[in-house]
Amino acid sequence: MRYRTVGIRSGFVLAAVSLALAVGCGPRYYRADADREVYRVLSRKQASALGETHAFSIEADLTDPLESVRRGEPSSAPAPPASIGAFSEDRISEIPEDGVPRQSGAVLVTLRDALRTAARHSREYQSRKESLYLAALDLTLERHQWKPQLSGILTGDATAGDAANSVGAGSSFGMSQLLALGGEVTINIATDFVKYTSGGLDSVAASALAVHVLQPLWRNAGRLVARENLTQAERDTVYAVRSFARFRKTFCYDITSGYYGVLRQRDAVSNQWQNYLRVRQSVERTAWKAAKGDLPAFEVDQARQDQLAAWDRWLQTVRSYQEALDRFKVTLALPADAAVELDPSEVARLREAGLREVPLTSEQAVRIALRRRFDLANTVAAVADAERRVILAANGLAPDVDLTVDVNVASEDRKPLRVELSRGTYSAGVEAGLPLNRKAERNAYRRALIELEAARRASDEQRDRVALEVRDAWRSLAETAARYRTQEQSLRLATRRVESTTALLEAGKAQTRDLLDALRDQLSAQNALTGALIDNTLARLALWRDTELLRVGEDGVWQDVTNVQE
């Protein structure tokens, strides 16, 4: 056998490099390095799992148009609106024409503004982003475990005594590497120097090289077992990417629903106010006719009672609207007293667009959802994970049979930087452990089998649930469209009824109660029409969400689906 003399000056080079890195790399560097690696991982996982990539960052975005409101700057936080208790019938001239109390100088927030603000500042959204980041961060560590692991220690000491004084230094550098079939190899180089400064002794220097190889041959052997943690981390990151993509769509729907919900309350305030004004006008007309003797006095009291009831309903509706607006502000992570108003023209645009047809049958929508839904893909993949864990648990029942190889080589005398392999000690052996105690492993194997069946049931249930959600969304869309058409007819009839009843009352052929009832029905029809239109819009958005066809931009704003291909 031929041996070589190995130089280990590289150990000192490693010492210098390690010392430089230890001094030069601070917390800021490590934070930036983690971000770069995580964002790179997420970009690649998005491309493979979603077929597209989105810019991702967990840092706060300060370009939000509502940031000044969030910070509470004086210019963006004017005096709050008047309290409901400050309103009275004898001061109705102070109330806006549409009956909606306003906060002077308030920032007008469009739906796009709300979606962008929520995506940047919502507490729930930020928590979901952090969960995705942490999943990728865990993956970076698992990947790192499969790279060469370097370690180094530098030591120095001084000794004073009666016999001799000395100054010493040492270093120890190691490297370990996981092997594809479950083994591990470790290499360590240690060097010691001692300089005697008294006592008549000379200097002493020595080095040692140690190599250890451990390779399981049965239990814990094989690529599947060895790379299980890495495999699961890779898959968990994919699951997190899909879950976050799914969350972005549901979150976008929830914000849109909340936004339109506030506007629905605002429209109800306006409708209630217009109803109050019409009832007030009818009271004045009734009182004038009663003064002429054309109507009995009790009809004036009836009309006045309805006027008071209309005023009371308006006050209640205003309170409900303001409460809904405050809750929505908190959803956007804005202060509840922030001076903002939602843009009422969003509802006007819905009215102008009217109903939009969806070119999908219920069966087509279900087929699309079953093929595209991210949450369903995760539950299907979880079955594969459970199947793999059964194989791993079965491997844990096998005997322990390990192959070990050790090499230990010391340096030449007084030549610590040169290691003569011919002076080394070499050994190899096989160690076998009988499977005499496998109770824990037995239980783990049985548990894995049960969890596999549970995963299969969960996957089947999720498939049925997805189909059910899509069918419900499709039915809701059809139902809200039919309701909208019905309420259009109802409002036309109610308006015509108010007009005809007013004319009959003027001609003395109807009673005041007939007009008051007609006005009440007209108010209900107005509210119902707006509600049906908003419900239909949200039902369409829910169908796109549940079929995974909804697209959400990097700014958090959804885009309506115009081209559907099964």
Side-chain angles (χ1 to χ4, degrees), residues 149-223:
Q149 305 297 303
L150 302 178
S151 62
I153 300 175
L154 301 177
T155 61
D157 61 80
T159 304
D162 296 335
N165 298 329
S166 65
V167 177
S171 67
S172 176
F173 291 92
M175 185 200 76
S176 64
Q177 174 67 59
L178 296 176
L179 303 178
L181 297 181
E184 182 178 12
V185 57
T186 59
I187 301 174
N188 185 268
I189 299 175
T191 303
D192 292 310
F193 297 90
V194 179
K195 174 68 174 179
Y196 291 95
T197 60
S198 66
L201 300 176
D202 201 350
S203 300
V204 175
S207 295
L209 169 67
V211 180
H212 177 72
V213 179
L214 172 65
Q215 175 60 58
L217 301 178
W218 198 336
R219 189 187 188 201
N220 297 326
R223 184 180 182 87

Side-chain angles (χ1 to χ4, degrees), residues 317-330:
T317 309
V318 169
R319 186 206 65 191
S320 298
Y321 161 68
Q322 292 179 339
E323 289 176 351
L325 179 59
D326 286 348
R327 286 194 296 269
F328 188 68
K329 294 176 193 175
V330 174

Side-chain angles (χ1 to χ4, degrees), residues 3-6 409-412 418-424 426:
Y3 297 93
R4 298 177 56 193
T5 300
V6 180
V409 184
S411 65
E412 300 181 36
R418 297 180 66 82
V419 174
E420 182 63 52
L421 296 182
S422 62
R423 298 164 57 90
Y426 301 85

